[in-house]
Amino acid sequence: MAYAPGAVLIAALVVGCSSGTGTGGAAADSKPGTLATSAAPPGKYRTLPEACRSIAPATLKDLLPGASELPEAQQEKVFDGSPTVTYDTDRRVGCRWKSEAPDGAHSLFVDFERVVSYDPSVSDDDRAREVYAKKEAAADLPSASALPDATENGAPGSPSGTASAKPGEDADKSTDAAGKTGGDAGSAGSTTDGSTAENLQPRVLDTLGDSAFLDDRLTRAGSTAQHRTVSVVFRTSNVIVTVQYTAQPALSTEVPDSKELQEKAQALGRKLVDSFSE
């Protein structure tokens, strides 16, 4: 009986240790040292797709005209794409494709970013909303009240085919391929018969993922080259996807068709959204 208290103590310690070794603890992405019961819920997506395999070959052929006319070995190189440099493929992956044809060049870039919150009181989805909001703010989209009802240029089918600048911007101001600085963008316009064309201004998209926006920039490098980049950025749960589709005609007098590029970039965005739900 003199040893009973010690035996009870040892038994209590054994029970305590075994009860804390379960495998149903915090997720792998949660902040070390936090309790699973007090942490905000993790994001829906725990992995990212392989970026250079995220787009079907048939879609790539449509987005990269001229590539299918190349010799087979060159076709494979174009359609395989080039993965972007990343130091954590669990959090970010990307891929680039480019094709050249006699009438011009096209390039495509996709980027997948999986957002993880290390604050136990903030969910991955909420953190992703913050990251997406910063991207949308940086795009400097015109407000709905600033969108014109019609302009003389920029509409599909208009004689000039040129695009007007964002409200308040210099039409000759250049922009980089990523569209991060001011420049020309597609706009609503009047067609040759006087009817009003659909709005092609940079804008928020209501039917793509949880949140989305489109940007459209026309870059002019002197009088010898100009290219248009349409960017579609959307969020689905805790993943943010960026699509950038660029066209550069061979002739400096030609302007890439804003409507066509926007339609193709949005169609690709919808396919990528659908791939996440599969």
Side-chain angles (χ1 to χ4, degrees):
M1 295 298 292
Y3 296 100
V8 172
L9 177 59
I10 292 172
L13 290 173
V14 171
V15 172
C17 292
S18 61
S19 64
T21 56
T23 58
D29 287 324
S30 63
K31 187 175 181 180
T34 60
L35 296 176
T37 55
S38 62
K44 179 178 180 181
Y45 302 109
R46 309 303 301 274
T47 61
L48 290 172
E50 186 179 352
C52 291
R53 297 292 178 268
S54 62
I55 303 176
T59 302
L60 288 174
K61 289 181 180 180
D62 179 54
L63 295 172
L64 303 172
S68 58
E69 306 301 325
L70 297 172
E72 186 174 349
Q74 295 184 36
Q75 284 188 45
E76 291 181 0
K77 184 176 181 180
V78 170
F79 294 135
D80 283 348
S82 301
T84 55
V85 177
T86 179
Y87 299 100
D88 189 347
T89 55
D90 285 336
R91 303 295 170 80
R92 194 162 199 165
V93 293
C95 192
R96 298 180 185 276
W97 297 263
K98 184 175 182 180
S99 68
E100 295 186 2
D103 58 345
H106 288 76
S107 62
L108 175 67
F109 168 67
V110 294
D111 177 84
F112 300 89
E113 179 181 1
R114 186 172 70 93
V115 180
V116 175
S117 171
Y118 287 100
D119 184 341
S121 64
V122 179
S123 70
D124 292 346
D125 278 21
D126 286 342
R127 184 68 72 201
R129 288 187 185 92
E130 295 175 3
V131 174
Y132 168 83
K134 290 180 180 179
K135 291 179 180 291
E136 184 178 311
D140 193 23
L141 305 179
S143 63
S145 61
L147 295 178
D149 293 330
T151 58
E152 294 181 358
N153 298 320
S158 62
S160 65
T162 57
S164 63
K166 283 184 177 181
E169 290 183 343
D170 185 351
D172 293 327
K173 189 176 182 181
S174 63
T175 180
D176 59 14
K180 293 181 180 179
T181 59
D184 292 346
S187 62
S190 56
T191 60
T192 52
D193 63 359
S195 61
T196 301
E198 64 186 288
N199 173 39
L200 297 176
Q201 279 274 17
R203 61 197 181 277
V204 171
L205 302 175
D206 297 327
T207 59
L208 191 61
D210 296 321
S211 306
F213 70 87
L214 178 148
D215 204 0
D216 186 331
R217 307 287 176 130
L218 181 66
T219 298
R220 294 176 178 174
S223 59
T224 59
Q226 55 186 341
H227 63 267
R228 183 184 295 280
T229 296
V230 171
S231 301
V232 171
V233 181
F234 68 86
R235 180 185 68 83
T236 174
S237 186
N238 62 315
V239 172
I240 298 173
V241 180
T242 299
V243 173
Q244 291 180 347
Y245 186 38
T246 302
Q248 180 173 336
L251 298 178
S252 60
T253 54
E254 293 184 3
V255 178
D257 185 2
S258 181
K259 184 175 185 293
E260 179 184 9
L261 294 180
Q262 289 192 23
E263 288 178 347
K264 290 187 174 183
Q266 290 182 82
L268 176 56
R270 287 190 291 271
K271 290 180 180 179
L272 292 175
V273 168
D274 292 341
S275 71
F276 276 93
S277 59
E278 293 176 352

